Amino acid sequence: MSDMSKVYAVIMAGGSGTRFWPASRKRTPKQLLPLGGGSKTLLAETVDRLAGLVPPENLVVVTAAHLLEATRAVLPKEATILAEPAARNTAPCIAWATWSIMARDPEARVLVLPSDHAIAAPQDFVACIKRALEAAASGTVATIGITPTRPETGYGYIEVGDSVGQGVRKAVRFVEKPNRERAAEYLASGRFLWNAGMFFYRAGDMMKAIRTHLPQLAEQADAMTKDPAGVAELFPLCQSVSIDTGVMEKLDSLYVVPGDFGWNDVGSWESAWELGAKDAEGNVVPEGSVLIDAKRNLVKLLGKQQGKTVALLGVTDLVVVETDDALLVMPKERAQDIRAIVEHLQTAKKTELL
Amino acid sequence: MSDMSKVYAVIMAGGSGTRFWPASRKRTPKQLLPLGGGSKTLLAETVDRLAGLVPPENLVVVTAAHLLEATRAVLPKEATILAEPAARNTAPCIAWATWSIMARDPEARVLVLPSDHAIAAPQDFVACIKRALEAAASGTVATIGITPTRPETGYGYIEVGDSVGQGVRKAVRFVEKPNRERAAEYLASGRFLWNAGMFFYRAGDMMKAIRTHLPQLAEQADAMTKDPAGVAELFPLCQSVSIDTGVMEKLDSLYVVPGDFGWNDVGSWESAWELGAKDAEGNVVPEGSVLIDAKRNLVKLLGKQQGKTVALLGVTDLVVVETDDALLVMPKERAQDIRAIVEHLQTAKKTELL
């Protein structure tokens, strides 16, 4: 970590998603929304957390072509943006970004981060990143595993084994989303961490790993690096595969840095409520709201709706989200069912709302 | 009823009120809102119901000075509008209007109606009006009493006695809002009708009654008729008193026409839900709403919010009202408590929302 100029961040910001409708749309997915409790987008918060660790000119943000302008708007002007012409999961994304970085600096040390998570203790997070980069300095890819706080069935886990240094463990295996019983066992064992999709490596090491485990992708990345104008044609031909199953699970050795920094994957409007600043009654609402017998509600106003006066009378545990063209009301506990609304809009061909 | 040109309607449209916040404001009170289930304001619906019964040039609409323009906008251009410089309850309102009509036509037959009620069966209503005008033709003031359908404690009642003709009874007495037990007795007795504030008389008879029971008001009405420019000064000096307590309760004789025409006083957002067109699940919502496990909700969009797509997921019996500057969410059963929100806004001096 002595030479910051060699540290690059690949921020994966191409995600779409329906779980934050009506705020999230094709053109404003989750990472471009202020869902972390502050006024900045999750992507901007992700970038902010790296200040002092990654020089702005070493930020490589991979997004989707249709999100290019909106993504650029929240990034420092020095950042590089790679716009994927098609969604091909994380392995092609990381390959393209890693090859690009390698072309700039053969000694680059890379951290790969999702753009749409929230972190309550950014300083602890940065300490984990530094540890993971150090661990990866010897040639072994590293990841951060989140210390679980509940028997979550919605995440993948990483089983860890022996310690290989202060705060660094060997990965034993990746496991898919478990059922409730299995998740409880994982939590009790203390040997399972949540897979948060963060990876740390020297650029050359990842190139080698991809060349070994996804040789076709490596060739495609070679070609895209040789002919950047060909990306539009070449990228969509890449196999859609995650870096986890395509590479990470196949590595002979992988290091895991256990992390406990208030990580939240911001998976639903309920998470947004958890992350928000609450009043004494647990409401996360715009300033100036009139609240009478109202408890634990989330109200989110977006676009020109901001500044509107919200009055809640006698309601609890509701989610109310308003954009300029849509209004959603549901109980927090139904947050996972929002997909049904989006499907309805798709069936009704209301594409302007998607 | 042979000569329609002698029939005049006094429509009392000066009311303010807070029960429909955020839709109702100082400058757009209840009668200027489309709360009757259709797209027209309650005042416009009131006028529409009189088509074929009262010529447009015989409409006399009494409103408040600050509502003059908004009121004019929903009325036929032939209507006369009297703008009260101050609110003085119904007796001064009716006196001023009656004196004005008398000045135009000493043989005028007058019907006095509130402007902010809804009526499901307008033809039955018109039949009652005709009957009441006929009853009043002999010199006795008449009213319509609504056949009660529940032990309502929010209305005044009129006890009726002997029949004085087909569908016309003698009034025995007016009674104030009863308690629950008394209201149940009234309902069971069959002798009590709801007082809906509708009156029918020959202009000269009402002048005589006011001269007898409110002699000072009669003198003030004389003066205002002689000097219309003096209304601004004279009207605020009138005693604030209702026509019920000031005149009606003191009359030697009053006729009552029992009416059963789906009358609704539109007293709260819950009434607005009752009046609205419902889907199979009892929701009163804008066209194109996305409803999943949603039952018996009322959603009202006003101003530029109209056209917004509403999505309700897993909510029941909610009231959601949106204007360009405010959003209200509450259970229907809390509709009566909305005053608390308005009081909060008053205390917070958010006058732009009142």
Side-chain angles (χ1 to χ4, degrees):
Chain A
M1 292 301 295
S2 46
D3 187 357
M4 199 175 87
S5 72
K6 301 212 161 297
V7 179
Y8 290 74
V10 175
I11 299 176
M12 297 181 290
S16 60
T18 58
R19 289 175 297 176
F20 288 92
W21 190 90
S24 63
R25 304 290 173 96
K26 281 216 174 85
R27 296 194 170 270
T28 45
K30 183 185 157 194
Q31 65 273 17
L32 295 176
L33 293 170
L35 295 169
S39 61
K40 289 195 167 185
T41 65
L42 291 175
L43 172 57
E45 288 184 347
T46 299
V47 169
D48 284 356
R49 282 192 289 267
L50 300 178
L53 190 65
V54 181
E57 64 272 21
N58 288 9
L59 293 169
V60 179
V61 178
V62 191
T63 187
H66 66 279
L67 300 175
L68 185 58
E69 288 315 310
T71 299
R72 196 193 306 278
V74 302
L75 292 177
K77 62 182 186 314
E78 299 90 342
T80 300
I81 306 182
L82 301 180
E84 297 177 337
R88 285 293 176 270
N89 210 328
T90 50
C93 161
I94 289 171
W96 186 21
T98 302
W99 259 248
S100 310
I101 290 168
M102 190 68 178
R104 283 170 61 179
D105 183 351
E107 295 181 347
R109 304 165 72 182
V110 181
L111 46 137
V112 174
L113 300 173
S115 61
D116 58 353
H117 296 167
I119 284 166
Q123 287 181 322
D124 295 344
F125 174 59
V126 167
C128 279
I129 291 178
K130 287 180 177 170
R131 184 167 290 167
L133 281 173
E134 290 295 341
S138 59
T140 299
V141 175
T143 185
I144 290 176
I146 309 292
T147 308
T149 53
R150 58 182 187 273
E152 175 65 49
T153 58
Y155 306 149
Y157 286 70
I158 304 171
E159 184 177 357
V160 294
D162 297 343
S163 173
V164 291
Q166 177 71 32
V168 185
R169 310 281 290 267
K170 270 194 158 169
V172 174
R173 58 173 177 136
F174 283 73
V175 288
E176 295 290 310
K177 297 174 183 178
N179 61 26
R180 191 87 191 163
E181 194 185 351
R182 191 61 60 87
E185 288 171 22
Y186 290 173
L187 181 64
S189 77
R191 288 182 296 108
F192 288 81
L193 304 173
W194 289 335
N195 178 5
M198 304 174 185
F199 302 103
F200 306 83
Y201 51 79
R202 298 185 311 193
D205 296 332
M206 179 56 69
M207 284 182 76
K208 211 177 302 173
I210 291 174
R211 222 173 270 289
T212 303
H213 300 292
L214 295 170
Q216 197 188 357
L217 177 59
E219 279 177 37
Q220 288 162 319
D222 287 339
M224 291 194 286
T225 308
K226 212 174 287 175
D227 174 24
V231 168
E233 198 178 325
L234 290 166
F235 194 90
L237 300 174
C238 295
Q239 185 195 352
S240 181
V241 58
S242 78
I243 198 75
D244 299 56
T245 59
V247 176
M248 297 299 161
E249 295 177 10
K250 293 172 177 160
L251 293 174
D252 289 334
S253 178
L254 175 73
Y255 291 153
V256 186
V257 174
D260 188 3
F261 36 76
W263 176 82
N264 188 311
D265 82 328
V266 198
S268 71
W269 280 119
E270 189 160 23
S271 316
W273 172 76
E274 286 163 6
L275 290 165
K278 294 176 189 61
D279 71 7
E281 306 290 342
N283 295 293
V284 177
V285 294
E287 215 178 322
S289 294
V290 181
L291 305 171
I292 298 171
D293 302 336
K295 293 191 208 314
R296 299 183 303 277
N297 301 285
L298 170 70
V299 179
K300 204 91 184 172
L301 305 180
L302 292 121
K304 290 179 193 144
Q305 307 306 309
Q306 293 173 76
K308 189 169 272 198
T309 295
V310 175
L312 302 182
L313 168 61
V315 292
T316 57
D317 293 302
L318 279 189
V319 171
V320 179
V321 184
E322 239 214 300
T323 66
D324 292 336
D325 58 1
L327 170 64
L328 165 72
V329 184
M330 67 176 174
K332 284 209 302 272
E333 61 177 16
R334 296 297 297 267
Q336 299 297 341
D337 299 337
I338 204 161
R339 193 175 300 269
I341 293 173
V342 175
E343 282 166 7
H344 179 103
L345 294 170
Q346 282 164 342
T347 306
K349 296 205 169 34
K350 294 203 173 177
T351 49
E352 72 282 7
L353 292 168
L354 295 171
Chain B
M1 292 301 298
S2 47
D3 187 357
M4 199 175 87
S5 72
K6 301 214 162 296
V7 179
Y8 290 74
V10 174
I11 299 175
M12 298 181 290
S16 59
T18 58
R19 287 176 298 176
F20 288 92
W21 189 90
S24 62
R25 304 290 172 97
K26 282 215 172 86
R27 295 193 171 272
T28 45
K30 182 184 158 196
Q31 66 273 17
L32 295 177
L33 292 170
L35 296 168
S39 61
K40 288 194 168 186
T41 66
L42 291 174
L43 172 57
E45 287 184 348
T46 299
V47 168
D48 284 356
R49 282 192 290 267
L50 301 177
L53 191 65
V54 181
E57 64 272 20
N58 287 10
L59 293 169
V60 179
V61 178
V62 191
T63 188
H66 66 280
L67 300 176
L68 184 58
E69 288 314 310
T71 299
R72 196 193 306 279
V74 302
L75 293 177
K77 62 182 187 313
E78 299 90 342
T80 300
I81 305 182
L82 301 180
E84 297 177 338
R88 285 294 177 269
N89 210 330
T90 51
C93 162
I94 289 171
W96 186 20
T98 302
W99 259 248
S100 309
I101 290 168
M102 189 68 177
R104 283 169 62 178
D105 184 350
E107 294 181 346
R109 305 165 72 181
V110 181
L111 46 138
V112 173
L113 300 173
S115 61
D116 59 352
H117 295 168
I119 284 166
Q123 288 182 322
D124 295 344
F125 174 59
V126 166
C128 279
I129 291 178
K130 287 180 176 169
R131 184 167 288 165
L133 281 172
E134 290 295 340
S138 59
T140 298
V141 175
T143 185
I144 290 176
I146 309 293
T147 307
T149 53
R150 58 181 187 272
E152 175 65 49
T153 59
Y155 306 150
Y157 286 70
I158 304 170
E159 184 178 359
V160 294
D162 296 342
S163 175
V164 290
Q166 176 71 30
V168 185
R169 310 280 290 267
K170 270 196 158 168
V172 174
R173 58 173 176 135
F174 283 73
V175 288
E176 296 289 313
K177 298 174 185 179
N179 61 25
R180 190 88 190 161
E181 194 186 352
R182 190 64 57 89
E185 286 171 24
Y186 290 174
L187 181 65
S189 77
R191 287 182 296 106
F192 287 81
L193 304 174
W194 289 336
N195 177 5
M198 304 174 184
F199 302 103
F200 306 84
Y201 51 79
R202 299 184 310 193
D205 296 332
M206 179 54 69
M207 283 183 76
K208 210 178 301 173
I210 290 174
R211 222 174 271 290
T212 303
H213 300 291
L214 294 171
Q216 196 188 355
L217 177 60
E219 280 177 34
Q220 290 162 316
D222 286 340
M224 291 194 285
T225 308
K226 212 175 286 172
D227 175 23
V231 168
E233 199 179 324
L234 289 165
F235 194 90
L237 300 174
C238 295
Q239 186 194 353
S240 181
V241 58
S242 78
I243 198 75
D244 299 57
T245 59
V247 176
M248 297 299 161
E249 295 177 10
K250 294 172 175 158
L251 293 174
D252 289 335
S253 178
L254 175 73
Y255 291 152
V256 186
V257 174
D260 188 2
F261 36 75
W263 176 82
N264 187 311
D265 82 329
V266 199
S268 71
W269 281 119
E270 190 159 22
S271 317
W273 173 76
E274 286 163 6
L275 291 165
K278 293 174 190 62
D279 70 8
E281 307 290 341
N283 296 293
V284 178
V285 293
E287 216 178 320
S289 294
V290 181
L291 305 171
I292 297 171
D293 302 336
K295 294 191 208 313
R296 300 182 303 276
N297 301 286
L298 170 69
V299 179
K300 204 88 183 173
L301 305 180
L302 293 120
K304 292 181 191 142
Q305 306 306 310
Q306 293 173 76
K308 190 169 270 200
T309 295
V310 175
L312 303 181
L313 169 62
V315 293
T316 57
D317 292 302
L318 279 188
V319 171
V320 179
V321 184
E322 238 213 299
T323 66
D324 292 335
D325 58 0
L327 170 64
L328 165 72
V329 184
M330 67 178 174
K332 283 209 302 271
E333 61 177 16
R334 296 297 297 268
Q336 299 296 343
D337 299 337
I338 204 159
R339 192 175 301 268
I341 293 174
V342 175
E343 282 165 6
H344 179 103
L345 294 171
Q346 283 163 343
T347 305
K349 296 203 166 36
K350 294 202 175 179
T351 48
E352 73 280 8
L353 291 169
L354 295 171

